[in-house]
Amino acid sequence: LILSYGIYLFVLTTVYIFFLFTNEFIITIYWGLIAFALLTWGILKSQKRWRTIGLYILVLTVLKILAYDVWQQLDDAVVRILALMLVGGLMIGISILYQKKLDGDLKQDFMPRNVM
């Protein structure tokens, strides 16, 4: 039940951010910030549930950037490159945190049972 409320809150805030800024790329930035915050919180507090949710949101963000934003939304080539560099830097930062705090045990955090 809590997971349902979390998904509802995530979708509701995403819609609110979209209507507030009327730009689809802002949604990608918003998702990336949420994913980074959840992952950082989960790593620092050693809570697998938040790390798993953060990883799923990060995967969703990367898929949105690669499948939609880079090819459809962003018209300027420089902005495309900056978007990919930003996500790449985010991924490097997360991998450094995982390596330092959790010895790179990323495989166990992708299990859906961690969210329940």
Side-chain angles (χ1 to χ4, degrees):
L1 191 60
I2 293 174
L3 180 63
S4 300
Y5 289 131
I7 293 171
Y8 174 73
L9 184 63
F10 178 71
V11 171
L12 188 68
T13 56
T14 300
V15 170
Y16 179 73
I17 293 292
F18 175 71
F19 284 124
L20 189 64
F21 292 104
T22 63
N23 187 349
E24 293 178 12
F25 190 64
I26 295 294
I27 294 172
T28 307
I29 294 170
Y30 173 68
W31 288 356
L33 290 174
I34 287 178
F36 185 74
L38 289 173
L39 279 166
T40 303
W41 178 262
I43 290 171
L44 294 177
K45 299 294 181 181
S46 298
Q47 294 183 358
K48 193 177 278 192
R49 170 182 283 179
W50 299 115
R51 290 193 313 256
T52 303
I53 293 171
L55 283 173
Y56 285 144
I57 293 174
L58 185 65
V59 167
L60 181 68
T61 304
V62 170
L63 287 175
K64 184 179 181 299
I65 284 177
L66 294 177
Y68 182 73
D69 288 338
V70 172
W71 306 113
Q72 301 292 329
Q73 183 66 21
L74 301 176
D75 295 328
D76 189 14
V78 174
V79 176
R80 289 180 187 177
I81 292 169
L82 288 175
L84 289 173
M85 287 175 63
L86 179 71
V87 171
L90 183 68
M91 300 286 279
I92 290 171
I94 290 169
S95 71
I96 289 171
L97 279 174
Y98 260 96
Q99 192 62 33
K100 283 184 177 181
K101 299 286 183 179
L102 303 171
D103 296 329
D105 190 21
L106 185 64
K107 186 176 178 182
Q108 294 296 326
D109 284 347
F110 264 113
M111 299 293 178
R113 63 181 154 83
N114 295 336
V115 178
M116 302 300 169

